[in-house]
Amino acid sequence: RLRMVSRRINALFIALLLALPLPAIAHLDSTRDAVNLRAGPDSAFPLVSWLPARTELSVVGCTEDRKWCDVVVGRRRGFVYASHLNQRFALRNAPVVTFNVKDYWDAHYTRQAWFPTYVNWVDFGKPGFVPPPPPGSRLTRRP
């Protein structure tokens, strides 16, 4: 009887693991160099984390120009500059991802201190967009 309960618990555990939402992963990769994990596909976006060289990650997809890739590292998600990844040849086959600040930040960053600033980023990619200054900066945003 104890074995039957143990098997049911194991089956339930496996079913729960399989039910977890996982991104559509293009492929596994690692960082070639130390790299910043950003909240969007540009170096102006807030820093999510810093990844040391040889950090294993999953590539969800890359921007159309293949310069930035949407990646998952443990429980963190964000964009890295593609030239810092080891398997650059595989990135050509990675799915193209589109980026919408509000949708992406709502899905991944609601607990970040900079999350409420998404209104300053919604025009990212449009002509004339100027990113807001980094938090704590004395610079003011130009019109």
Side-chain angles (χ1 to χ4, degrees), residues 31 33-37 49-53 55 57 71 73 76 80:
T31 57
D33 314 298
V35 64
N36 290 323
L37 182 67
S49 186
W50 176 83
L51 306 176
T55 298
L57 48 79
V71 302
V73 182
R76 296 169 291 176
V80 297

Side-chain angles (χ1 to χ4, degrees), residues 51-65:
L51 306 176
R54 296 179 296 286
T55 298
E56 292 184 3
L57 48 79
S58 299
V59 177
V60 176
C62 300
T63 56
E64 192 169 6
D65 62 7

Side-chain angles (χ1 to χ4, degrees), residues 3-78:
R3 262 193 187 156
M4 183 181 289
V5 170
S6 178
R7 284 183 186 160
R8 284 186 179 171
I9 290 173
N10 286 340
L12 180 61
F13 180 72
I14 291 169
L16 287 172
L17 283 177
L18 293 174
L20 290 174
L22 297 174
I25 296 174
H27 69 278
L28 299 177
D29 203 338
S30 63
T31 57
R32 189 181 70 226
D33 314 298
V35 64
N36 290 323
L37 182 67
R38 298 272 177 190
D42 192 282
S43 59
F45 276 96
L47 183 66
V48 174
S49 186
W50 176 83
L51 306 176
R54 296 179 296 286
T55 298
E56 292 184 3
L57 48 79
S58 299
V59 177
V60 176
C62 300
T63 56
E64 192 169 6
D65 62 7
R66 302 293 185 199
K67 289 184 179 180
W68 289 86
C69 294
D70 183 10
V71 302
V72 177
V73 182
R75 300 182 100 185
R76 296 169 291 176
R77 185 159 174 181

